Amino acid sequence: MKEAIVILAGGARRPGINTVISAIAKVFLKDGYRVIGIHEGYKTIFTAYPKVQEFDFELADKIKNQVVRHCS
């Protein structure tokens, strides 16, 4: 069984967070880990069905290039 890490960003949207998530994912993918992202942070982590997504290099690149839009 592969070791795994989970990426969870709790809090408001911030400029640069997608770049940080992408970089972390790529480092661990390169080292052979499973990388799992949890959507909507702490809102879903302790629910019966948390919104999760497994990362690969393609997803990490896609996330890096997404623009974070600020909410008012």
Side-chain angles (χ1 to χ4, degrees):
M1 175 185 265
K2 272 186 170 181
E3 290 191 62
I5 67 152
V6 173
I7 298 175
L8 178 140
R13 296 177 177 179
R14 295 287 181 241
I17 192 65
N18 289 347
T19 302
V20 171
I21 291 169
S22 174
I24 292 168
K26 287 179 178 182
V27 166
F28 280 94
L29 286 167
K30 180 183 69 64
D31 288 342
Y33 284 76
R34 282 182 64 205
V35 178
I36 302 163
I38 299 181
H39 290 272
E40 299 182 33
Y42 292 102
K43 182 178 178 181
T44 66
I45 191 170
F46 295 114
T47 64
Y49 301 102
K51 297 177 182 178
V52 298
Q53 183 169 15
E54 189 151 348
F55 278 69
D56 57 18
F57 285 99
E58 184 177 341
L59 178 60
D61 283 337
K62 181 180 176 185
I63 288 171
K64 180 180 177 184
N65 295 321
Q66 287 179 349
V67 175
V68 174
R69 305 219 187 284
H70 293 280
C71 299
S72 302

